[in-house]
């Protein structure tokens, strides 16, 4: 059974940091590019970042560039998202996922997946 389990979300003050993790199982994690997307309250899904299979190449949305860092540890089957300088507009549910079959790099289609986790809530508020 394929599983992607996000963790690390929570409540943080503006300017703070969080590190999200995504534990993968049931498929060959090291054979897939990965991405993070998020959904703010009352809004649609928004692509956040993608990373290639090896982790060599990464790409970010303009809204998080310079503040967030995506990374992966293929030996641990885990994807990460380090989030710094958090803003209230970063509030939402964060999901990790694999790109849809045939989706081209930079895999920035927020609604297209092969596999996706259940999400972790991030709330940025004072």
């Amino acid at each position: 059974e394929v599983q992607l389990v996000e963790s690390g979300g929570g409540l943080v003050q503006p300017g703070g940091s969080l590190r999200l993790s995504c534990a993968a199982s049931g498929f060959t994690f090291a054979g897939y590019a990965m991405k993070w997307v998020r959904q703010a309250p009352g809004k649609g899904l928004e692509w956040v970042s993608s990373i290639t299979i090896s982790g060599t190449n990464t790409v970010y949305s303009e809204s998080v560039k310079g503040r967030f860092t995506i990374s992966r540890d293929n030996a641990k089957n885990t994807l990460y998202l380090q989030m710094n300088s958090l803003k209230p507009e970063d509030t939402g549910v964060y999901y990790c996922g694999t790109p849809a079959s045939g989706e081209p790099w930079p895999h920035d289609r927020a609604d297209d997946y092969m596999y996706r986790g259940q999400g972790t809530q991030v709330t940025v508020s004072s």
Side-chain angles (χ1 to χ4, degrees):
E1 178 188 5
V2 171
Q3 282 195 313
L4 289 168
V5 180
E6 301 92 339
S7 62
L11 173 63
V12 63
Q13 292 187 339
S17 298
L18 284 174
R19 189 194 196 201
L20 305 185
S21 298
C22 168
S25 62
F27 68 104
T28 306
F29 177 76
Y32 287 82
M34 297 293 296
K35 59 183 171 180
W36 287 97
V37 299
R38 66 186 181 186
Q39 187 166 27
K43 297 188 176 181
L45 289 168
E46 176 192 11
W47 169 77
V48 173
S49 181
S50 299
I51 188 168
T52 53
I53 290 172
S54 66
T56 301
N57 293 323
T58 59
V59 62
Y60 302 90
S61 68
E62 287 300 318
S63 61
V64 308
K65 191 179 295 183
R67 301 187 297 122
F68 290 12
T69 302
I70 189 172
S71 62
R72 67 190 297 164
D73 186 334
N74 287 342
K76 295 183 178 179
N77 289 344
T78 303
L79 177 73
Y80 303 100
L81 186 68
Q82 177 67 43
M83 306 187 296
N84 299 329
S85 302
L86 283 161
K87 305 175 181 180
E89 51 263 44
D90 294 318
T91 294
V93 179
Y94 283 69
Y95 303 91
C96 65
T98 63
S101 178
E103 183 186 356
W105 181 258
H107 308 313
D108 56 354
R109 299 174 187 169
D111 296 318
D112 287 354
Y113 300 91
M114 181 173 293
Y115 310 124
R116 196 188 82 177
Q118 294 299 307
T120 185
Q121 176 70 45
V122 171
T123 303
V124 185
S125 175
S126 54

